[in-house]
């Protein structure tokens, strides 16, 4: 026969180790708020386990109420940490029902129906764990293998708590005056220790995974404009073959060095951000924008004919020509030149399409700037002047 007290102490020790580890991780990475939330939830469960162990030795009605409240509260916090990690809104949907169940549990336990209190608490915990499993199953967008294991462990733990409640319900044990002790409770102790240890380890894995994703996003993003950078362009399209419905537009802000020299670099940064904002307005499925460095930008267009891609690039140029940046020297209106490179039926490499776009861009600058030029198969330049020009 399993030693019930030993199982409880093992659960408490495991929880303490996990929470200390998570607190240490959070101290090194404060942005990982869900790790701190999990650590707090586990500490509450550790307090529950310790007091429950005390309750098995010296039953007391007040202690029973505290024990049951801590059990529900601990899993509520862990449920909230899951919502926090997955970005699921509406914390009230978990908090309000749980607090209501805790209040009902305290009331029935106060009048001596502690067995009913245990049943209500086990049902509450089962619902919370089931919710965690469902959220990770539905909302997870990272490594599915880890998320499915989280769902499995949460579901298994939920079943073990449900069995505890069903045994009490089946036996009609409405008033216990002591801690419940049956095969379901012992099984739950083993399952809870195993599952909570596993969930704690997976929380660390999820934190590591999230940190990797954030780091990759940072290395792929231009910090000033929020657009993707040259590294992202190479990563996404370096191995792609550009077919007949793909193109690349290269943009270069006109006289940008003069803008920095006359108005200052902070104004120059505003101009860059304004152009990035214009590109974002025209972003859609199949349109990816990148800042290559300095005043150079690139837009990769997929699933569009040459004419539509050319029209989109021209609209971006016209829209940017209407943007006005307020400066100490008066309003500033800037323009942009663009060149387009196209894919082919047999496919082309990114470098070849960029080279064509770059050649067209320099042709636009030689043509007087503030225009978009496309060098088609005939090699003929086709400038389109935006209606509004810079002052």
């Amino acid at each position: 026969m399993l030693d019930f007290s030993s199982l409880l102490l093992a659960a408490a020790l495991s929880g303490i180790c996990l929470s200390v580890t998570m607190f240490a991780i959070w101290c090194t990475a404060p942005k990982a708020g869900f790790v701190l939330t999990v650590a707090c939830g586990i500490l509450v469960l550790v307090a529950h386990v310790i007091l429950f162990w005390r309750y098995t030795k010296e039953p007391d009605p007040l202690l029973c109420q505290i024990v049951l409240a801590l059990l529900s509260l601990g899993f509520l916090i862990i449920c909230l940490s899951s919502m926090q990690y997955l970005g699921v809104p509406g914390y009230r949907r978990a908090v309000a029902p749980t607090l209501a169940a805790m209040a009902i549990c305290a009331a029935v336990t106060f009048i001596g129906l502690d067995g009913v209190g245990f049943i209500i608490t086990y049902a509450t915990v089962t619902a919370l764990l089931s919710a965690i499993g469902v959220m990770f199953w539905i909302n997870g967008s990272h490594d599915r293998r880890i998320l499915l294991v989280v769902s499995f462990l949460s579901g298994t733990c939920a079943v073990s708590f449900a069995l505890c409640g069903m045994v009490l319900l089946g036996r009609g044990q409405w008033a216990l005056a002591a801690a419940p002790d049956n095969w379901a409770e012992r099984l739950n102790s083993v399952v809870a220790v195993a599952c909570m240890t596993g969930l704690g380890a997976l929380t660390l894995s999820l934190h590591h995974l999230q940190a990797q994703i954030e780091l990759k996003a940072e290395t792929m993003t231009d910090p000033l404009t929020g657009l993707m950078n040259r590294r992202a362009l190479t990563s996404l399209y370096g191995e792609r073959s550009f077919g007949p419905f793909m193109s690349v537009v290269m943009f270069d802000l006109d006289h940008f060095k003069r803008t920095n020299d006359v108005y200052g670099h902070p104004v120059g940064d505003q101009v860059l951000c304004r152009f990035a904002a214009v590109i974002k307005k025209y972003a859609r499925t199949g349109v990816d924008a990148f800042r290559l460095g300095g005043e150079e930008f690139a837009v990769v267009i997929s699933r569009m004919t040459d004419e539509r891609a050319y029209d989109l690039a021209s609209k971006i140029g016209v829209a940017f020509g209407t943007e006005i940046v307020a400066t100490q020297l008066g309003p500033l209106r800037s323009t942009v030149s663009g060149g387009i490179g196209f894919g082919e039926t047999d496919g082309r490499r990114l470098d070849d399409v960029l080279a064509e776009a770059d050649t067209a861009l320099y042709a636009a600058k030689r043509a007087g700037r503030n225009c978009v030029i496309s060098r088609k198969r005939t090699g003929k330049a086709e400038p389109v002047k935006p209606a509004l020009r810079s002052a």
Side-chain angles (χ1 to χ4, degrees):
M1 182 176 294
L2 293 172
D3 185 347
F4 196 35
S5 296
S6 298
L7 289 174
L8 293 176
L9 293 177
L13 181 61
S14 174
I16 291 173
C17 293
L18 278 174
S19 60
V20 169
T21 302
M22 291 180 187
F23 273 121
I25 290 176
W26 176 75
C27 288
T28 60
K31 291 184 178 180
F34 81 98
V35 175
L36 175 63
T37 309
V38 172
C40 292
I42 291 178
L43 277 183
V44 173
L45 291 177
V46 168
H48 156 77
V49 171
I50 294 174
L51 292 179
F52 185 70
W53 173 77
R54 175 71 180 273
Y55 182 67
T56 61
K57 305 297 182 182
E58 301 176 10
D60 178 78
L62 179 59
L63 186 58
C64 179
Q65 294 182 39
I66 297 174
V67 165
L68 294 179
L70 288 176
L71 182 60
S72 295
L73 181 61
F75 279 105
L76 171 61
I77 296 174
I78 291 178
C79 182
L80 295 178
S81 73
S82 301
M83 298 175 72
Q84 185 179 4
Y85 175 77
L86 296 171
V88 178
Y91 289 175
R92 289 184 179 181
R93 290 180 296 175
V95 173
T98 303
L99 293 181
M102 291 170 61
I104 296 173
C105 176
V108 297
T109 304
F110 178 77
I111 62 176
L113 299 176
D114 55 338
V116 176
F118 274 98
I119 294 172
I120 294 174
T121 300
Y122 289 149
T124 302
V125 171
T126 299
L128 290 171
L129 285 168
S130 299
I132 293 172
V134 170
M135 284 190 295
F136 273 96
W137 182 277
I138 295 176
N139 298 294
S141 58
H142 302 326
D143 193 323
R144 296 300 301 176
R145 292 169 297 180
I146 296 179
L147 300 178
L148 291 177
V149 173
V150 172
S151 296
F152 172 76
L153 292 178
S154 299
T156 302
C157 199
V159 170
S160 69
F161 277 102
L163 289 174
C164 292
M166 291 172 63
V167 169
L168 294 178
L169 186 64
R171 295 179 179 179
Q173 295 180 306
W174 317 123
L176 298 172
D181 186 7
N182 52 59
W183 64 270
E185 292 287 342
R186 296 174 184 274
L187 176 63
N188 173 259
S189 298
V190 175
V191 171
V193 171
C195 289
M196 293 309 297
T197 302
L199 287 172
L202 288 172
T203 299
L204 302 181
S205 298
L206 289 172
H207 164 65
H208 179 65
L209 180 63
Q210 187 179 53
Q212 284 184 321
I213 293 172
E214 291 176 352
L215 178 61
K216 183 177 180 180
E218 289 178 0
T219 60
M220 296 288 186
T221 303
D222 173 53
L224 176 63
T225 63
L227 298 179
M228 290 181 283
N229 58 20
R230 186 182 292 271
R231 183 196 297 266
L233 175 63
T234 303
S235 176
L236 292 175
Y237 292 99
E239 303 299 325
R240 291 280 298 275
S241 176
F242 283 69
F245 296 101
M246 293 187 69
S247 57
V248 177
V249 186
M250 288 192 66
F251 288 105
D252 191 281
L253 302 190
D254 297 331
H255 305 297
F256 186 69
K257 183 179 184 302
R258 187 171 66 188
T259 298
N260 279 332
D261 292 342
V262 175
Y263 296 94
H265 288 278
V267 172
D269 289 345
Q270 289 186 52
V271 173
L272 291 171
C273 291
R274 285 292 182 91
F275 183 65
V278 169
I279 293 179
K280 291 175 184 177
K281 289 180 182 178
Y282 287 89
R284 65 192 74 174
T285 302
V287 178
D288 291 325
F290 307 84
R291 182 187 177 198
L292 302 183
E295 68 272 27
E296 293 184 340
F297 296 79
V299 177
V300 178
I301 303 174
S302 305
R303 298 191 292 278
M304 282 192 192
T305 63
D306 296 354
E307 293 75 12
R308 290 188 60 193
Y310 187 79
D311 183 59
L312 176 64
S314 298
K315 287 180 178 179
I316 291 175
V318 172
F320 180 62
T322 66
E323 293 288 322
I324 298 176
V325 175
T327 74
Q328 293 182 348
L329 300 178
L332 170 65
R333 178 178 291 171
S334 303
T335 59
V336 65
S337 300
I340 309 180
F342 297 96
E344 295 179 350
T345 304
D346 296 334
R348 300 183 70 187
R349 295 170 57 248
L350 172 64
D351 290 343
D352 296 331
V353 181
L354 281 175
E356 180 186 343
D358 193 51
T359 299
L361 173 60
Y362 278 97
K365 288 184 175 293
R366 289 194 299 270
R369 294 184 170 86
N370 189 22
C371 64
V372 176
I373 282 185
S374 160
R375 291 193 173 274
K376 308 286 288 195
R377 292 184 179 87
T378 61
K380 183 179 179 181
E382 300 176 358
V384 172
K385 294 283 186 178
L388 296 174
R389 301 176 65 93
S390 60

